[in-house]
Amino acid sequence: MMKYLVMMIFMMPMCLSYNMFWMVQFMFMFMMFMFMNMSVSIMNFFNLSYMLGCDMISFGLILLSIWITFLMIMASESLNKNNFFKNLFLFNIIFLMLMLYLTFSTMNLFLFYLFFEGSLIPTLMLIIGWGYQPERIQAGMYLLFYTLFASLPLLMGIFYIYKEMNFMIMYMMKFYDYNLVMLYLSLIFAFLVKMPMYFVHLWLPKAHVEAPISGSMILAAIMLKLGGYGLLRMLMILQKMNLSLSYIWVVMSLIGGFFISLKCFCQIDMKSLIAYSSVAHMSLVIGGLMTMNYWGFLGSYILMIGHGLCSSGMFCLSNINYERLNSRSMFINKGMMNFMPSMSLWWFLLMSSNMAAPPSLNLMGEISLINSLVSWSWWSMIMLMMISFFSAGYSLYLYSFTQHGKYNMSIYSFYSGTSREYLMLMLHWLPLNILVLKIDYSMIW
């Protein structure tokens, strides 16, 4: 695991030299293939070195991080074209990737906390430095204070665990089970905010709308998954407590998912709609994790990977439109089928994945999650039906609103999709639908 870390550290000086934009991207791609071909043990931790190790959960999420980082650079071509602090941008992205890699692969609980918080800084830099509107400062503050407010109790909880156990290695913690309400709340709350759960989700749409395309992609694809990953690791030592209190989170997330789905229909900003749909999908993941059964854990993991690829692809699409029309309003982005019929196909493919149509990973994940939630209580069927139905509804709403209809007469110049954009969309969609063939890797850890 150390070799990839060293590789990323040595990529940093490349940012300082002239004209290295695509070289950095190529290096990430190279690293992705190296990491993908690593020897994998399905049952245990593997590739242990120093404080780092990797099991199936970490493996999938690190792979997703490298993949999305490589696509982020690809999507930010306008920065390269306008020479808008591109070296600093690349440095920021490599530093963010470093933090994410360490978060997912460290076995030490305190270091996990450190890198979990550390990934906030480059994200904040992305939003404030490369965002679009002046409101980005407010969005950055929302992101920072929501996360930090919830994280201090987590730090206290980690210190308490260290006092009790005298070690910090996550793998060993499976032998402990704490039955303490305050510890439970303090350890879990930070991850619920990061997910984000309904009631503490307000930072997400703000941050998404103000972030540049690269910021939106990493926020949707990886930042939300940090919460899910943290819950997967933490619930291991809080099983007894969680069995008695899980109904609160399940009910909140299901009802919240339903409300957010309704809220999606009120949006007129494309990015805002996609951001709210992320909250709806993540509410299912929280529900599945909190049921604490096998299907729930598997389904949440698969949906996290699937949603990462799908949501990121949809943000790319909205950015492609934004670069053409300089607006994300759905009233201006109408009738796109007249201008870019080929792009319409990609809109359709990614929207269909978003509404969990086969053969996407989202479908596999949602089937597992529905299975786990219905086995937990069959009353959850009502909300699950609503969420599934409305997720198809707002995906169709966004697709038909942007692609069909009479296009805006104020458009005076236009250019069609470039090969870079089509490649980028294909690299989002292909793994999302091809990984279903190797679903056994996600289903037997």
Side-chain angles (χ1 to χ4, degrees):
M1 296 302 286
M2 209 68 184
K3 52 184 175 283
Y4 302 106
L5 182 67
V6 174
M7 181 177 174
M8 272 185 280
I9 292 170
F10 277 95
M11 273 164 72
M12 282 181 173
M14 285 170 65
C15 306
L16 305 173
S17 57
Y18 180 68
N19 226 354
M20 276 290 181
F21 198 80
W22 300 119
M23 186 63 190
V24 172
Q25 189 215 9
F26 174 74
M27 291 302 287
F28 269 121
M29 192 176 182
F30 180 63
M31 184 174 149
M32 216 278 312
F33 282 110
M34 273 171 57
F35 192 80
M36 206 156 62
N37 293 320
M38 192 168 72
S39 57
V40 172
S41 153
I42 289 181
M43 299 310 285
N44 305 312
F45 276 82
F46 50 90
N47 280 46
L48 297 168
S49 61
Y50 297 93
M51 287 272 182
L52 306 176
C54 194
D55 64 349
M56 268 328 281
I57 312 169
S58 308
F59 181 72
L61 288 167
I62 292 171
L63 206 54
L64 179 67
S65 305
I66 302 173
W67 189 244
I68 294 294
T69 313
F70 141 68
L71 289 169
M72 273 163 71
I73 300 174
M74 205 177 199
S76 305
E77 208 266 336
S78 59
L79 291 182
N80 185 34
K81 198 168 61 186
N82 302 328
N83 204 1
F84 185 58
F85 297 101
K86 60 181 182 186
N87 291 355
L88 186 60
F89 173 76
L90 285 176
F91 180 81
N92 204 0
I93 282 188
I94 295 176
F95 183 67
L96 178 56
M97 182 59 231
L98 200 67
M99 285 292 151
L100 291 171
Y101 176 78
L102 286 165
T103 309
F104 289 131
S105 62
T106 185
M107 314 238 332
N108 184 309
L109 194 57
F110 177 70
L111 287 181
F112 166 72
Y113 171 82
L114 204 68
F115 299 128
F116 172 78
E117 288 306 310
S119 62
L120 198 66
I121 300 160
T123 317
L124 196 67
M125 299 270 278
L126 271 178
I127 293 175
I128 292 177
W130 286 271
Y132 300 118
Q133 283 92 0
E135 288 87 48
R136 61 181 189 264
I137 310 288
Q138 185 197 8
M141 288 298 110
Y142 259 66
L143 170 69
L144 192 66
F145 281 101
Y146 261 89
T147 314
L148 287 182
F149 172 72
S151 294
L152 186 64
L154 173 63
L155 185 61
M156 298 292 109
I158 289 172
F159 286 159
Y160 176 80
I161 286 174
Y162 183 62
K163 187 173 84 69
E164 290 294 306
M165 293 184 186
N166 288 320
F167 62 81
M168 287 263 87
I169 304 298
M170 286 186 199
Y171 185 68
M172 304 295 184
M173 289 183 184
K174 62 182 182 182
F175 304 114
Y176 287 80
D177 194 1
Y178 286 108
N179 205 358
L180 304 163
V181 180
M182 287 309 288
L183 181 70
Y184 172 73
L185 290 175
S186 65
L187 287 180
I188 234 167
F189 189 55
F191 301 122
L192 290 175
V193 170
K194 202 76 169 177
M195 278 297 277
M197 189 182 64
Y198 187 65
F199 291 125
V200 284
H201 69 283
L202 282 174
W203 63 270
L204 182 88
K206 267 196 165 23
H208 268 309
V209 170
E210 303 306 327
I213 173 62
S214 49
S216 285
M217 283 168 73
I218 201 79
L219 267 170
I222 317 294
M223 288 301 169
L224 306 188
K225 314 302 173 275
L226 283 173
Y229 175 77
L231 283 176
L232 276 170
R233 294 279 187 235
M234 278 302 167
L235 289 178
M236 190 164 63
I237 54 169
L238 300 165
Q239 291 176 23
K240 208 171 286 166
M241 203 66 240
N242 197 47
L243 285 172
S244 56
L245 291 179
S246 63
Y247 69 93
I248 304 170
W249 313 116
V250 177
V251 170
M252 264 162 75
S253 61
L254 284 178
I255 293 174
F258 168 60
F259 281 147
I260 289 284
S261 300
L262 290 179
K263 186 116 178 83
C264 282
F265 288 104
C266 310
Q267 302 303 317
I268 49 166
D269 184 317
M270 290 194 295
K271 255 192 174 181
S272 184
L273 196 152
I274 300 165
Y276 274 112
S277 78
S278 294
V279 183
H281 284 304
M282 287 296 114
S283 66
L284 281 179
V285 171
I286 295 174
L289 283 171
M290 290 300 176
T291 55
M292 292 231 329
N293 55 23
Y294 190 57
W295 278 93
F297 270 44
L298 298 179
S300 62
Y301 173 68
I302 296 167
L303 190 59
M304 282 196 291
I305 303 278
H307 171 266
L309 290 162
C310 178
S311 192
S312 174
M314 280 157 59
F315 278 116
C316 281
L317 282 165
S318 79
N319 182 64
I320 288 167
N321 277 19
Y322 179 75
E323 283 177 355
R324 307 289 191 279
L325 303 174
N326 288 314
S327 168
R328 288 189 310 262
S329 165
M330 285 167 66
F331 297 118
I332 294 174
N333 286 282
K334 284 177 80 77
M336 282 294 135
M337 212 179 257
N338 298 309
F339 292 114
M340 298 194 282
S342 325
M343 199 59 83
S344 242
L345 170 69
W346 288 108
W347 271 96
F348 168 74
L349 289 173
L350 281 159
M351 285 297 155
S352 63
S353 296
N354 191 46
M355 64 170 91
S360 65
L361 278 178
N362 296 40
L363 177 76
M364 196 66 215
E366 283 198 19
I367 287 173
S368 304
L369 288 171
I370 288 168
N371 200 340
S372 80
L373 281 160
V374 170
S375 68
W376 180 79
S377 159
W378 64 268
W379 282 104
S380 63
M381 268 193 215
I382 304 161
M383 281 304 164
L384 286 169
M385 283 192 312
M386 294 292 191
I387 292 171
S388 296
F389 174 71
F390 283 128
S391 87
Y394 57 70
S395 299
L396 277 171
Y397 163 64
L398 180 55
Y399 176 77
S400 57
F401 215 104
T402 50
Q403 301 307 307
H404 296 287
K406 197 171 187 306
Y407 59 86
N408 192 350
M409 284 303 188
S410 66
I411 298 170
Y412 59 93
S413 73
F414 211 87
Y415 63 101
S416 191
T418 59
S419 54
R420 173 187 60 85
E421 288 165 345
Y422 290 124
L423 175 64
M424 183 172 69
L425 292 170
M426 194 183 80
L427 291 175
H428 275 110
W429 183 81
L430 217 60
L432 178 60
N433 288 273
I434 299 299
L435 277 175
V436 174
L437 302 175
K438 285 302 286 177
I439 205 71
D440 47 341
Y441 273 107
S442 311
M443 290 299 260
I444 47 178
W445 44 271

